[in-house]
Amino acid sequence: MTATAEQTRARYPDESGRLDRDGVRIHWERYGDGDPAILFLPTWSIAPSRIWKAQIPYFARRGRVLVFDPRGNGCSDRPLDPSAYAETAFADDARAVLDATGTGRAVVVGLSLGAQRGLILAARNPERVAGLALLGPALALAPFPPERARAFELFHDERADDEPWAKHNANYWRRDFPGFLEFFFSKAFTEPHSTKQIEDCVGWGLECGVDCLLASEDGPGLGDQAADTAARARCPILVVHGDEDAIAPHAAGAELARLTGGSLVTIAGGGHCPQARDPVLVNLLIRDFVDSLDGENAA
Amino acid sequence: MRGAEQTRALYPDADGVVEREGVRVYWERYGSGSPAYLLLPTWEALHSRTWKCQIPYLARYRTVITFDPRGNGRSDRPRDPALYARREYAGDAVAVLDAAGVDRALVVAWCDLGESLILAAEHPDRVAGLFEIAPAVQLADMQPEPVAYPFDEPLDTDEGWAKENRHYWLRDWRGYTEFFFGECFSEPHSTKPLEDAVGWALETDPETMLLRFRGWNDKVIDRTEATALGDRLSCPGVVIHGTEDRLVEPGRGRAVAETLGWGYVSLEGSGHGPHARDPVRTNLLLRAAGRDATAGPRPAADRRWTRAVTRPKRALYISSPIGLGHAWRDVAIADELRALHPDLQIDWLAQDPVTRVLESRGERIHPASADLASESTHIASESSGHDLHVFQAIRRMDEILVANFMVFHDLVEQEAYDVWIADEGWEIDYFLHENPELKTAAYCWLTDFVGWLPMPDGGEHEAYLTADLNAEMIEHIARFPRIRDRAIFIGSPEDIVSDTFGPGLPAIREWTEEHYDFSGYVIGSLPGPTDREALRAELGYGPDERVCIATVGGSGVGAVLLRRVVDGFDVARRAIPGLRMIAVAGPRIDAAAFPQRDGLEVRPYVHELRRHLAVCDLAVVQGGLATTMELTAARRPFLYFPLGHHFEQRFHVRHRLDRYGAGRCMDFDTASPDAIGAAIAEEIGREVAYRDVETDGAARAAALIAEVL
């Protein structure tokens, strides 16, 4: 279904492959080659590796770019067991992709939930991660707004209220999955004139499918281990966070930067997905971050 | 010689002398921050002022150390040739670092003969990195530099490189340095760097230079020795080298970079001295190298980027501090601009005295303004008596102009503006054309005169210099028409002088009409009543009183004129009984030193002087445009005395006032006190028939700027 509908890419992979991790097949792609290598992690299974389409062509001109589809989307398998969606599983997928492509060390970039798997990867494999650039990190380092907290709490309950975030609910998903996707991505892109970005994401969400996304929602995340894990990730860290992010609070990104001694770039007026909405800025920030790491790290 | 040094953009925080084997070496320290920049001396024909365009910028970020080489500047000129061994310079450098309290430095060398390699190889703990500008040291097999003439033998020619000869040096050292630095600064329009270098070379003498060269075969660091030193280096390095270098071929610099595994920046079209001739680019390369030399992780400051469409519209207004006239007209233009764009936020990059006007109006003065080097102090220091050679004063401000452009650069690198507006901000206009890739906003340029003009007594040389500067400007505009989005002449085409830009160059008026828009003259607004009688009453002037106001501006420049006008008071008062003269001394002239007379009031300060001038019966002023045009607009009779050697007052302003039929021009050199007194008596209260001054100039200028917003 993806291949026929997908729009023309600016650049196609130089190499791709599948690796099998305990029966779950993970699809990865390599673009370009040479140092520095950059691994763009998948985000929530609601979207495939195409979320990095504005980054891949740029960085592939500069070195090796690796992406892989998350469990539950793109060309990777779609397990229905929630335990298959543990954050640790994604982090181990990332390491397996580094191994499969013979990549010793990489700068790792993550969006939203990607921050969780990125921190785990760096904490478990410090020798493999030269630096972490985390965009709109979704980490329990600052309180969610009440309506979001309530939606998590009541996720499996029947909700009769008409609070907008009541759409973030298992029963609502089963009734009107496209409606949920439209709503969710309107919150992910709070910037005006984001129609194309929303359209892309809704399409990608449909590729995941409701059952798969339900399984992923119940997968074990970092939870209150975020601060500890961040402390164990000792590499340089860059946080980029919109101050109008309606999905992951800006305060969490700021706290991550504070905890790790990383640097924080705030996008005034920015939402949750700067890599899609302010791609030029994000590309240059990642470039500068990569360039700031010394030669030994970048290999 | 030292008394003649032009105003620096920054003076050292500390200086001192180190002594090694009886030779005293003078050093300076600026700024703070580690690792420092150590700017090494180049050969002994020059001294540490060579780095004048780098010091003010680098010192904003790090400690900067310079020292004069033995043989020039404030260092000794030992008579023993052995004391000019290359190793001594590395030794001096370490002693200077010790004395200045600097542990480690990024070492910057120009035309290095290997001294910096000795320093880095033998003192690795002191050297964080090397930055070589056009290094002469040989690190690869290369064709020997062709030697056209023997150095020691008498020659039958003085042409070209024949000047590099012992006998010629002793005969005409200046002639040699003019030739040599002409080859060094081979880019067109390099008159000022050339003049500087020749001046510094004349601070030493050929005898000292010959001592330095004596036994050169033993002193020179040859390829074998250089290679051995290079093998010991562990620090990072960068080489920058101009492709048009006539003194050291760029292949040498490239060989240094390749042999040592360093970065190499090729400056296409640059000659041997890019730090003087392309100072902005060199400074930015130095800053980048300084960042790279920082040990350990860099402190990460939080940053903020605002999405484009949500940004408020912002303008950065750069207002020239040379005279207050710019300030008044610029706030008038700013007001009209805000009328067209009510949401426009205007920040000012400005310095005293402009900031006094801005503060009184509650304008936003950008904090970076505090980093600007003072232009008005320099201009005041360049004047004496009733004389200011303003063309030379601006040339001699080159160091301050680079320093202030770098302040502007770092500001706009961090903050986004929709438009930069520069009212005679020469540094902005010049260096944007020299570094066009740094333009990241719309840019509007304003001026009230076009064309540098020579004073007759400057002779052919001054005519050559003004034409050269004009030609460079014309080439800038022709090559980069995109830099000035608007060029606004504050006036009308008829205000432009009938001269040409110089031999073989266009007529100024024709060219300006082609390249500028015209706003008409811009008069700053005056507070208070506009009715003359009401304003006179408010200011304490009787309806039948005859009031003469003599004012010479806020600097000390006008003391001699004011004194002479006061000396003419008795003659004037005899002709005009009851004459009241108010002489405004300003803060820098001692009012108590003037004689006391009935009817004569010498005041240190008059609040809102412009309002007094608007209703006086006669004014006596210098030849500045702003004041004379305000008097013209207010239809007041006035005597004006253009400053000596001030081409703008003597030619451009004079021409404009003649067009308006305004004022009586007097020559300070020939006007006696009695003649001034008689002129006061003749002119006071005279009905004038001036041409009307436009009242819509500010609105027209603002409308032109608003088009790019």
Side-chain angles (χ1 to χ4, degrees):
Chain A
M1 130 153 215
T2 56
T4 51
E6 186 186 279
Q7 71 185 38
T8 312
R9 298 189 185 190
R11 176 159 180 154
Y12 288 84
D14 295 307
E15 186 186 1
S16 63
R18 268 186 162 191
L19 50 90
D20 191 307
R21 292 231 317 110
D22 296 330
V24 179
R25 286 167 305 173
I26 301 298
H27 172 81
W28 58 265
E29 294 173 351
R30 177 181 66 77
Y31 302 77
D33 213 349
D35 291 330
I38 305 181
L39 168 64
F40 290 92
L41 292 172
T43 186
W44 188 20
S45 300
I46 201 168
S49 56
R50 285 282 78 207
I51 57 167
W52 300 113
K53 66 181 186 178
Q55 282 67 51
I56 292 164
Y58 178 60
F59 289 101
R61 286 198 283 115
R62 297 169 48 91
R64 166 178 291 208
V65 171
L66 299 173
V67 300
F68 64 97
D69 287 329
R71 304 159 169 254
N73 210 319
C75 301
S76 292
D77 279 350
R78 285 159 173 69
L80 293 177
D81 175 0
S83 68
Y85 292 92
E87 282 302 323
T88 50
F90 287 99
D92 292 344
D93 290 346
R95 187 193 155 120
V97 168
L98 291 176
D99 290 344
T101 55
T103 308
R105 195 168 164 80
V107 177
V108 175
V109 183
L111 167 70
S112 186
L113 269 184
Q116 300 199 6
R117 48 206 69 158
L119 289 172
I120 296 169
L121 178 69
R124 290 185 174 183
N125 309 279
E127 74 289 356
R128 309 298 292 271
V129 180
L132 269 176
L134 302 175
L135 318 177
L139 296 162
L141 293 175
F144 281 102
E147 65 277 14
R148 292 269 284 139
R150 196 167 147 75
F152 290 129
E153 196 183 315
L154 304 177
F155 183 72
H156 288 289
D157 296 357
E158 267 311 337
R159 288 184 66 170
D161 57 293
D162 54 3
E163 148 69 38
W165 275 102
K167 291 179 176 169
H168 193 89
N169 176 278
N171 301 301
Y172 186 89
W173 291 10
R174 290 192 190 94
R175 277 200 304 281
D176 182 7
F177 190 54
F180 161 71
L181 293 172
E182 293 277 0
F183 164 75
F184 180 81
F185 287 112
S186 75
K187 295 296 179 188
F189 293 97
T190 43
E191 301 93 338
H193 317 301
S194 300
T195 55
K196 180 59 165 67
Q197 289 81 2
I198 293 172
E199 194 177 301
D200 279 351
C201 287
V202 170
W204 293 330
L206 293 171
E207 287 182 43
C208 175
V210 64
D211 296 329
C212 222
L213 198 65
L214 280 169
S216 81
E217 183 70 1
D218 289 336
L222 257 188
D224 57 11
Q225 296 300 300
D228 284 351
T229 311
R232 285 189 289 122
R234 309 201 76 98
C235 61
I237 287 182
L238 167 71
V239 178
V240 181
H241 215 134
D243 69 357
E244 293 187 11
D245 189 328
I247 303 295
H250 176 268
E255 177 64 5
L256 175 64
R258 194 191 66 79
L259 282 174
T260 57
S263 51
L264 171 68
V265 178
T266 296
I267 302 177
H272 185 56
C273 300
Q275 93 292 349
R277 200 57 186 84
D278 292 305
V280 173
L281 172 76
V282 167
N283 287 351
L284 297 179
L285 289 173
I286 295 172
R287 178 199 67 180
D288 291 348
F289 177 65
V290 170
D291 289 350
S292 76
L293 304 170
D294 67 41
E296 287 174 18
N297 274 341
Chain B
M1 200 68 216
R2 301 222 63 89
E5 183 185 284
Q6 70 183 39
T7 316
R8 300 189 185 189
L10 186 70
Y11 286 84
D13 297 312
D15 62 359
V17 169
V18 291
E19 187 168 328
R20 294 180 57 249
E21 294 172 39
V23 180
R24 288 169 307 166
V25 168
Y26 172 78
W27 57 268
E28 293 177 344
R29 190 187 74 214
Y30 304 76
S32 64
S34 180
Y37 288 97
L38 170 63
L39 309 179
L40 287 179
T42 183
W43 74 312
E44 298 77 353
L46 299 177
H47 58 65
S48 58
R49 285 282 78 205
T50 302
W51 301 112
K52 68 180 191 175
C53 292
Q54 283 66 54
I55 294 164
Y57 181 60
L58 300 177
R60 293 176 53 208
Y61 298 97
R62 301 285 177 77
T63 302
V64 175
I65 305 292
T66 65
F67 66 96
D68 287 338
R70 32 181 80 201
N72 205 335
R74 297 189 209 185
S75 294
D76 280 349
R77 288 139 179 76
R79 303 334 278 171
D80 176 358
L83 292 173
Y84 293 94
R86 298 298 91 195
R87 177 167 301 279
E88 298 297 341
Y89 293 85
D92 290 345
V94 173
V96 165
L97 290 178
D98 288 343
V102 169
D103 292 335
R104 274 177 97 236
L106 175 68
V107 175
V108 183
W110 177 30
C111 195
D112 190 60
L113 290 166
E115 300 91 337
S116 71
L117 299 185
I118 297 174
L119 181 61
E122 299 185 357
H123 304 274
D125 52 323
R126 309 302 290 274
V127 178
L130 285 169
F131 189 103
E132 302 280 354
I133 301 171
V137 69
Q138 190 170 338
L139 273 177
D141 279 329
M142 304 195 67
Q143 295 286 338
E145 301 263 336
V147 178
Y149 300 95
F151 184 76
D152 291 313
E153 292 165 27
L155 301 171
D156 54 8
T157 173
D158 290 340
E159 282 308 302
W161 283 103
K163 290 184 168 68
E164 191 153 282
N165 175 277
R166 161 189 308 279
H167 307 281
Y168 184 79
W169 281 16
L170 293 167
R171 200 159 63 239
D172 184 6
W173 173 240
R174 171 187 276 274
Y176 168 72
T177 62
E178 285 175 349
F179 164 75
F180 178 83
F181 289 113
E183 295 294 300
C184 175
F185 300 109
S186 50
E187 301 91 339
H189 316 302
S190 296
T191 61
K192 188 57 167 64
L194 169 62
E195 208 171 276
D196 281 347
V198 169
W200 297 326
L202 294 178
E203 291 183 46
T204 184
D205 52 71
E207 291 79 8
T208 302
M209 296 302 293
L210 290 171
L211 289 171
R212 179 257 200 197
F213 272 109
R214 192 174 303 163
W216 185 249
N217 286 342
D218 296 327
K219 289 176 180 169
V220 70
I221 297 164
D222 62 15
R223 194 198 154 192
T224 311
E225 190 180 353
T227 304
L229 290 167
D231 288 344
R232 294 167 63 190
L233 294 186
S234 54
C235 63
V238 178
V239 175
I240 74 171
H241 211 136
T243 56
E244 303 302 316
D245 191 330
R246 292 184 192 169
L247 299 184
V248 177
E249 59 162 316
R252 286 206 176 209
R254 193 176 284 282
V256 170
E258 283 174 1
T259 307
L260 299 174
W262 288 357
Y264 183 76
V265 179
S266 175
L267 299 173
E268 305 284 319
S270 291
H272 185 59
H275 58 299
R277 202 55 188 79
D278 294 300
V280 172
R281 179 49 49 196
T282 305
N283 286 351
L284 296 176
L285 290 167
L286 277 166
R287 178 142 186 248
R291 284 176 172 147
D292 290 347
T294 306
R298 284 167 222 163
D302 289 356
R303 280 185 292 161
R304 192 176 174 86
W305 182 85
T306 304
R307 301 201 68 246
V309 289
T310 61
R311 292 176 199 173
K313 286 197 176 177
R314 298 174 79 204
L316 183 66
Y317 210 130
I318 299 97
S319 181
S320 167
I322 305 178
L324 267 174
H326 300 276
W328 291 113
R329 79 178 178 211
D330 290 332
V331 295
I333 292 169
D335 283 343
E336 295 288 350
L337 205 48
R338 280 186 282 243
L340 295 170
H341 286 278
D343 297 334
L344 180 68
Q345 175 192 317
I346 300 178
D347 289 354
W348 297 80
L349 183 61
Q351 54 177 283
D352 186 77
V354 172
T355 41
R356 293 185 221 170
V357 173
L358 300 177
E359 279 162 5
S360 74
R361 288 174 38 102
E363 297 278 352
R364 286 173 62 115
I365 300 169
H366 195 285
S369 299
D371 294 330
L372 295 171
S374 173
E375 294 181 23
S376 55
T377 307
H378 164 71
I379 294 293
S381 75
E382 292 280 313
S383 59
S384 67
H386 191 72
D387 194 280
L388 171 59
H389 200 306
V390 75
F391 170 67
Q392 288 296 0
I394 288 178
R395 289 185 85 227
R396 287 165 55 79
M397 201 163 72
D398 57 343
E399 174 182 343
I400 291 171
L401 292 176
V402 182
N404 289 349
F405 180 81
M406 299 310 302
V407 172
F408 165 83
H409 168 269
D410 287 6
L411 192 177
V412 301
E413 192 179 45
Q414 296 296 320
E415 295 189 38
Y417 289 92
D418 294 273
V419 63
W420 306 326
I421 306 164
D423 183 357
E424 293 185 17
W426 302 105
E427 72 280 30
I428 310 299
D429 199 64
Y430 181 81
F431 287 111
L432 282 179
H433 284 95
E434 289 277 287
N435 301 268
E437 64 278 8
L438 298 182
K439 185 192 174 204
T440 56
Y443 167 61
C444 297
W445 161 252
L446 292 79
T447 185
D448 57 44
F449 78 92
V450 176
W452 307 93
L453 297 175
M455 297 308 297
D457 65 1
E460 274 182 31
H461 185 62
E462 189 170 320
Y464 158 73
L465 292 177
T466 54
D468 184 65
L469 195 54
N470 287 330
E472 187 176 37
M473 183 273 292
I474 291 167
E475 288 166 25
H476 276 159
I477 305 299
R479 176 61 186 83
F480 293 105
R482 73 172 181 88
I483 295 292
R484 294 178 178 173
D485 292 291
R486 292 291 181 276
I488 301 170
F489 186 88
I490 307 291
S492 307
E494 297 77 22
D495 294 326
I496 301 171
V497 294
S498 58
D499 305 70
T500 71
F501 284 110
L505 295 172
I508 296 176
R509 176 164 173 185
E510 198 171 60
W511 185 91
T512 305
E513 286 192 73
E514 204 173 308
H515 292 92
Y516 276 78
D517 293 310
F518 294 83
S519 66
Y521 194 69
V522 176
I523 287 284
S525 60
L526 286 177
T530 50
D531 174 66
R532 178 153 191 260
E533 293 313 315
L535 185 50
R536 273 181 78 100
E538 184 199 316
L539 299 176
Y541 302 131
D544 300 322
E545 214 171 13
R546 291 297 199 198
V547 179
C548 170
I549 300 178
T551 174
V552 290
S555 73
V557 182
V560 290
L561 173 61
L562 201 66
R563 179 73 206 206
R564 200 176 290 179
V565 173
V566 165
D567 287 346
F569 175 75
D570 291 342
V571 169
R573 172 103 168 180
R574 274 198 293 278
I576 309 287
L579 171 68
R580 185 174 171 195
M581 177 182 281
I582 297 163
V584 188
R588 299 193 188 161
I589 300 173
D590 181 11
F594 287 87
Q596 298 197 350
R597 298 277 192 284
D598 278 351
L600 173 64
E601 303 158 42
V602 181
R603 300 194 201 163
Y605 173 74
V606 173
H607 183 61
E608 292 182 341
L609 175 64
R610 296 163 68 229
R611 300 172 74 208
H612 294 255
L613 290 173
V615 296
C616 67
D617 297 289
L618 179 76
V620 183
V621 297
Q622 294 173 345
L625 182 67
T627 303
T628 54
M629 282 302 287
E630 291 204 351
L631 291 163
T632 303
R635 316 192 73 76
R636 300 292 86 220
F638 62 95
L639 310 178
Y640 68 100
F641 293 80
L643 289 171
H645 294 105
H646 196 303
F647 77 94
E648 192 202 349
Q649 293 190 0
R650 291 198 163 251
F651 303 132
H652 291 286
V653 178
R654 176 84 194 267
H655 172 82
R656 190 187 301 237
L657 292 174
D658 286 351
R659 185 173 89 80
Y660 280 90
R664 175 162 158 185
C665 184
M666 296 190 73
D667 185 359
F668 178 81
D669 289 340
T670 57
S672 66
D674 289 359
I676 296 172
I680 290 172
E682 283 165 32
E683 294 287 326
I684 196 159
R686 187 167 70 80
E687 283 300 312
V688 299
Y690 300 163
R691 181 189 292 270
D692 286 337
V693 176
E694 306 83 323
T695 54
D696 61 348
R700 284 162 65 190
L704 288 163
I705 297 168
E707 289 170 3
V708 305
L709 277 169

